[in-house]
Structures are given as C-alpha cells and as structure tokens.
Amino acid sequence: QGQLVESGGGSVQTGDSLRLSCVASGFTFRDYAMAWFRQAPGKEREFVAYIKRSGGTSYTDSVRGRFTISRDNAKSTLYLQLKDLKPEDTAAYYCAGSKSVGYLSDRAQYTRWGQGTQVTVSS
C-alpha cells in the first residue's frame, strides 16, 4: 500500500515563496526516487523536479534557479522550496515516487502519487 500526502500550498502574490512538503508512509521512502509534478487546469501533468536516491537532482527549465527539491529520509519527507513565484506557476502540485533509475522526468516511471496541493499565484 503506502501513501504520499502533500501540504504547504496556498494563494500568494508574484515574487512570494512557498515550501511544499510530502510525507510518505507505508513504504521504504529511501528506496525511491522522488519527484514533483504539476498540473494546471486544462493542461497535461508536467515534470517539475526530481531527486534520486543518491540525492542527485534535476529540474525543468522554467523552474531551475527558483525551485529547490530536497528530501529527508529520516523523516520520510520530500520538499519543494518555491521562490520568486510567477502566475504561470499556478497549478496543483503532486509528489510521486519511483523505483526506476532512469527517465525520471517521465511521469510513466512513477507508481506512487499523492493527492496534490494547490498553488495559486496572482499578479
């Protein structure tokens, strides 16, 4: 079974910051690569960032330098620090887990998903 529960979303202004959290339970968190995806209304769910079991990270171009993904294996928690938020960052943000070692920006690699947390950025 297992579960991922996101929190930390909200409504903010352009330029503000947020920190999203995703708490895992029911499975061995450290054995999974973890990622954040987001989905805006009427759009496909898109990759935002991933962090490997080793700690290596990757970001989509539009958030590189503004967002930071991290993990705390002792707490079974994944984080996404969002800075300098823009209206185009408005979306539901989902955390996901994968036991794959490659193609980690591809949502098809992920078998575990949270329910999402909404981020709304107004200008």
Side-chain angles (χ1 to χ4, degrees):
Q1 289 78 14
Q3 191 175 14
L4 294 171
V5 179
E6 301 97 332
S7 63
S11 295
V12 297
Q13 302 283 330
T14 297
D16 283 351
S17 298
L18 282 173
R19 189 175 81 156
L20 307 183
S21 299
C22 170
V23 178
S25 61
F27 64 96
T28 306
F29 179 76
R30 64 177 178 272
D31 288 347
Y32 284 72
M34 299 297 297
W36 290 95
F37 288 78
R38 65 186 180 185
Q39 187 168 17
K43 294 190 176 182
E44 296 273 321
R45 190 170 298 189
E46 66 173 1
F47 165 74
V48 175
Y50 70 68
I51 183 165
K52 297 180 179 180
R53 289 174 289 179
S54 63
T57 60
S58 181
Y59 299 87
T60 194
D61 288 347
S62 63
V63 309
R64 189 175 294 112
R66 299 188 298 121
F67 293 6
T68 303
I69 189 171
S70 61
R71 64 190 299 163
D72 185 336
N73 289 338
K75 295 182 178 180
S76 295
T77 302
L78 177 72
Y79 301 101
L80 186 68
Q81 179 71 48
L82 296 73
K83 294 183 178 179
D84 190 23
L85 282 160
K86 304 176 180 182
E88 52 264 42
D89 295 318
T90 294
Y93 283 71
Y94 299 86
C95 68
S98 172
K99 296 198 86 170
S100 297
V101 295
Y103 301 103
L104 291 174
S105 61
D106 181 353
R107 65 186 185 188
Q109 300 299 318
Y110 292 83
T111 56
R112 298 188 180 276
W113 290 88
Q115 84 292 344
T117 186
Q118 180 67 36
V119 172
T120 303
V121 185
S122 57
S123 57

